[in-house]
């Protein structure tokens, strides 16, 4: 029996020092010290010993059990210490390694210019109005003095949803919606997406942006229109910018004009950007037609006003020298990164 105990002790010692995990240790504990373990089996057999031998073997068996459980404990704390050390090693951060810079997004050039535009007009007391992109024919055309058979419809290749519903071809319908909902004085700009059935090329896109402007009050004249637009152009393109009003026709304004700014690049001498003209067209405008006022329930004998429509892509093109409309919509990071 003594030999058996010595054998168990030696086996346990060897197995314990080879154990690499907490699970392996637990298995060994059960194997040697458990109820059905090897040591227990020996102790159960002690009844067969003589009374003189029993205490000596009993003591030896206790020693072996104490030895094994001490070894188990030691091995366990060794494993824990090693795991802790490994964990610290794994989680160590080398603060001297150069970091990877997170990629930062930026504002789209159209958004940048629109933000500037909003700031300028808000600074002049305007507020922002919005309208739907899927619009009634009535608001997009009819109320703006463009009846069904009007030739002006041909210049705006319209996406029709049905006979009465269109994708708005201009932001001008927001004028009508605003006048219906609000009493003068009115001073709003309305930026937004507009749609025309154009094929994509360097200067056309079926989706683009306009910024509509509308001012209605008593005694508003063309001088207010000129003053407002001049202020806007100087703020956006610089103090030296001059404006040129060319007579034009829009069904919803009378009189109407197209407005050019003196080329910010050459100052009017003529260059690549203004195509030798010295002037760049940026918007359409005019005094709101009395018929439009009437359509919106505003008395044209009491109130007058002006309106304008700015092409955001055009304004941005000249701000950043963007020569191809498609660049705005392709989301090529090499383009967008420059802003
Ligand atoms: N809606 C016109 C267009 O798309 C632009 C425009 C011209 C708007 C004159 C106006 C305006 O408000 O008065 O061509």
């Amino acid at each position: 029996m003594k030999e058996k105990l010595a054998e168990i002790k030696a086996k346990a010692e060897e197995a314990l020092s080879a154990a690499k995990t907490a699970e392996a240790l637990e298995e060994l504990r059960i194997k040697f010290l458990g109820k059905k373990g090897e040591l227990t089996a020996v102790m159960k057999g002690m009844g067969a010993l003589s009374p003189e031998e029993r205490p000596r073997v009993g003591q030896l068996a206790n020693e072996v059990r104490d030895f094994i459980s001490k070894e188990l404990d030691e091995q366990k704390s060794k494993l824990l210490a090693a795991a802790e050390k490994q964990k610290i090693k794994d989680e160590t951060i080398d603060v001297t390694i150069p970091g990877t810079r997170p990629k930062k997004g930026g504002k789209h050039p159209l958004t940048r210019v629109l933000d500037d535009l909003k700031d300028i007009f808000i600074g002049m007391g305007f507020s922002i109005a919005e309208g739907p992109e899927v619009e009634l024919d009535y608001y997009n055309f009819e109320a703006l003095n463009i009846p069904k058979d009007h030739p002006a419809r041909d210049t705006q290749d319209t996406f029709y949803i049905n006979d009465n519903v269109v994708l708005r071809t201009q932001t001008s319908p927001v004028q009508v919606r605003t006048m219906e909902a609000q009493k003068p004085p009115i001073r709003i700009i309305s930026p937004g997406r507009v749609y025309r059935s154009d094929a994509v090329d360097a200067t056309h896109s079926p989706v683009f942006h306009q910024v509509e402007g509308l001012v209605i009050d008593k005694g508003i004249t063309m001088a207010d229109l000129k003053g407002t637009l001049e202020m806007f152009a100087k703020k956006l393109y610089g103090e030296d910018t001059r404006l040129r009003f060319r007579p034009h026709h829009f069904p919803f304004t009378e009189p109407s004009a197209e407005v050019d700014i003196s080329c910010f690049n050459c100052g009017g001498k003529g260059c690549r950007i203004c195509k030798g003209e010295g002037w760049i067209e940026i918007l359409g405008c005019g005094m709101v037609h009395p018929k439009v006022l009437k359509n919106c329930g505003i008395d044209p004998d009491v109130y007058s006003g002006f309106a304008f429509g700015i092409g955001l892509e055009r304004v941005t093109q000249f701000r950043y020298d963007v020569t191809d409309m498609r660049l705005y919509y392709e989301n090529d990071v090499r383009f967008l990164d420059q802003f």
Side-chain angles (χ1 to χ4, degrees):
M1 215 161 227
K2 282 186 205 156
E3 287 92 72
K4 181 76 185 150
L5 283 170
E7 192 188 310
I8 290 175
K9 185 180 167 187
K11 246 168 62 186
E13 196 170 9
E14 195 189 325
L16 280 171
S17 61
K20 292 277 181 297
T21 64
E23 292 81 52
L25 280 180
E26 178 61 14
E27 265 170 35
L28 291 176
R29 194 188 61 75
I30 294 167
K31 179 166 159 40
F32 291 108
L33 303 181
K35 274 201 193 106
K36 292 177 183 154
E38 295 189 18
L39 193 63
T40 315
V42 173
M43 283 164 128
K44 275 181 187 155
M46 271 172 40
L49 293 174
S50 66
E52 304 88 63
E53 260 184 322
R54 218 177 287 156
R56 282 195 284 118
V57 175
Q59 195 191 353
L60 193 58
N62 281 340
E63 277 171 21
V64 171
R65 193 193 54 215
D66 291 348
F67 172 80
I68 293 177
S69 40
K70 206 178 113 229
E71 284 291 299
L72 269 169
D73 287 348
E74 269 175 22
Q75 193 62 14
K76 197 168 167 190
S77 39
K78 259 194 223 159
L79 280 178
L80 281 177
E84 181 81 9
K85 217 169 147 187
Q86 186 61 35
K87 194 169 169 220
I88 288 169
K89 202 174 148 209
D90 289 347
E91 289 177 2
T92 301
I93 295 168
D94 183 349
V95 291
T96 64
I97 293 174
T100 36
R101 235 171 234 292
K103 267 246 169 219
K104 259 206 299 182
K107 277 191 184 164
H108 192 279
L110 290 174
T111 309
R112 283 175 169 273
V113 172
L114 180 57
D115 283 350
D116 290 349
L117 239 129
K118 282 183 186 164
D119 279 350
I120 293 170
F121 280 106
I122 286 170
M124 290 194 270
F126 285 70
S127 46
I128 313 280
E130 279 182 13
E133 292 173 22
V134 180
E135 182 58 287
L136 289 172
D137 182 279
Y138 173 78
Y139 287 108
N140 194 76
F141 292 123
E142 210 83 20
L144 288 163
N145 201 25
I146 314 174
K148 283 257 193 280
D149 55 358
H150 197 285
R153 290 209 178 203
D154 296 343
T155 65
Q156 304 196 352
D157 298 312
T158 310
F159 287 113
Y160 281 89
I161 305 283
N162 61 39
D163 278 354
N164 296 316
V165 182
V166 302
L167 293 186
R168 67 177 180 188
T169 59
Q170 48 186 356
T171 44
S172 304
V174 186
Q175 285 186 32
V176 181
R177 288 183 173 275
T178 306
M179 284 190 275
E180 276 185 358
Q182 234 171 286
K183 294 229 166 324
I186 293 170
R187 232 181 320 179
I188 56 117
I189 57 163
S190 182
R193 246 180 237 128
V194 298
Y195 301 83
R196 291 186 197 181
S197 172
D198 283 324
V200 174
D201 65 24
T203 54
H204 292 89
S205 159
V207 189
F208 57 102
H209 300 77
Q210 290 185 338
V211 181
E212 194 75 13
L214 176 71
V215 171
I216 307 284
D217 203 352
K218 287 177 182 160
I220 298 289
T221 70
M222 197 97 181
D224 297 306
L225 169 60
K226 287 190 77 173
T228 303
L229 292 180
E230 221 164 87
M231 177 85 127
F232 153 69
K234 283 179 192 293
K235 287 230 158 113
L236 194 66
Y237 288 109
E239 277 304 313
D240 298 332
T241 310
R242 284 164 294 128
L243 291 194
R244 180 171 82 169
F245 284 67
R246 275 182 293 103
H248 198 76
H249 174 264
F250 296 107
F252 34 88
T253 44
E254 179 59 36
S256 307
E258 275 189 337
V259 173
D260 304 335
I261 54 164
S262 55
C263 179
F264 52 88
N265 187 49
C266 64
K269 287 200 286 290
C271 69
R272 174 183 65 84
I273 288 180
C274 59
K275 300 209 174 77
E277 293 278 325
W279 297 94
I280 293 161
E281 184 214 317
I282 56 162
L283 60 88
C285 65
M287 301 306 291
V288 179
H289 200 294
K291 273 197 193 163
V292 175
L293 291 175
K294 245 186 244 163
N295 287 342
C296 304
I298 290 177
D299 185 350
D301 291 330
V302 180
Y303 292 102
S304 57
F306 63 79
F308 54 87
I310 302 170
L312 185 60
E313 278 76 0
R314 260 189 96 69
V315 172
T316 307
Q317 170 187 350
F318 295 119
R319 183 67 180 282
Y320 291 126
D321 201 4
V322 178
T323 49
D324 193 320
M325 278 269 262
R326 286 168 287 202
L327 290 167
Y328 292 132
Y329 311 116
E330 281 168 349
N331 279 339
D332 187 330
V333 180
R334 290 168 300 181
F335 170 71
L336 296 173
D337 258 352
Q338 300 172 55
F339 300 93

